Amino acid sequence: MDWRVGIGVDAHPLTPDRPLVLCGVPVPYPEGLAGHSDGDVGLHALCDALLGAMGWGDIGEWFPPSDPAYHGADSRQFVRVVIDRIRSEGWSVVHTDVTLIAEEPRLSPWRAEMRRSVADLVSVDESRVSIKATTANELGFIGRKEGIGALAVVLLIKEAEK
């Protein structure tokens, strides 16, 4: 058995007149995340963690913001493309851990739904997905409620060929 670990990080500023989507789940809030796609920092960090585990670069290389095809795109589409490619190479997700960093909104009411969303995207049982939320303790742009960040870690395995 072979295994790989990947880490991903993302952050976006908050902006009015956009829906807030985190880990594929709409979260009621008066602002959303700016970005070329839907700005879902949780899934962007996850996508980078998956790509990193495979040594395949980053989300900006795969889904460049300069490409109009990705304008306003649902970030679940990015994860699906990467997961399909990972599976085609014989790899599977064992576990993923995503930490969202935000002063507001409080995310605990949506964590279970986010966990289900990520588990579905990477085709694992919910017990193999962790979604956590923390604050920046009023430090930096996140602490000033100007944006939201995310960190993600994934563990992949490839069964030995018989």
Side-chain angles (χ1 to χ4, degrees), residues 11-15 32-35 41 141 146-148:
H12 286 264
L14 286 161
T15 187
L33 292 167
V41 293
F141 80 97
E146 296 170 3
I148 296 177

Side-chain angles (χ1 to χ4, degrees), residues 10-14 33 101 103 136 138-149:
D10 197 32
H12 286 264
L14 286 161
L33 292 167
I101 309 163
E103 295 297 316
E138 300 180 0
L139 296 172
F141 80 97
I142 293 173
R144 290 188 302 271
K145 303 174 188 171
E146 296 170 3
I148 296 177

Side-chain angles (χ1 to χ4, degrees), residues 14-148:
L14 286 161
T15 187
D17 303 321
R18 282 200 81 174
L20 178 60
V21 180
L22 295 168
C23 295
V25 175
V27 175
Y29 195 66
E31 296 178 299
L33 292 167
H36 188 65
S37 66
D38 61 9
D40 186 333
V41 293
L43 293 186
H44 292 183
L46 175 60
C47 200
D48 267 349
L50 292 164
L51 291 166
M54 296 301 294
W56 289 345
D58 62 45
I59 192 171
E61 293 174 67
W62 279 58
F63 312 101
S66 58
D67 188 336
Y70 303 119
H71 180 72
D74 181 335
S75 294
R76 292 177 297 182
Q77 141 188 358
F78 302 158
V79 176
R80 287 182 187 118
V81 167
V82 173
I83 282 291
D84 286 348
R85 173 77 189 278
I86 287 171
R87 282 195 205 116
S88 76
E89 302 266 336
W91 293 88
S92 302
V93 174
V94 174
H95 188 267
T96 185
D97 185 3
V98 178
T99 300
L100 300 166
I101 309 163
E103 295 297 316
E104 289 181 356
R106 293 291 181 200
L107 299 173
S108 56
W110 296 276
R111 275 202 338 232
E113 189 176 352
M114 290 178 195
R115 189 177 188 195
R116 283 189 297 275
S117 171
V118 170
D120 181 57
L121 283 168
V122 300
S123 300
V124 298
D125 186 81
E126 285 179 44
S127 67
R128 295 188 174 271
V129 173
S130 174
I131 304 291
K132 303 183 306 293
T134 190
T135 69
N137 292 308
E138 300 180 0
L139 296 172
F141 80 97
I142 293 173
R144 290 188 302 271
K145 303 174 188 171
E146 296 170 3
I148 296 177

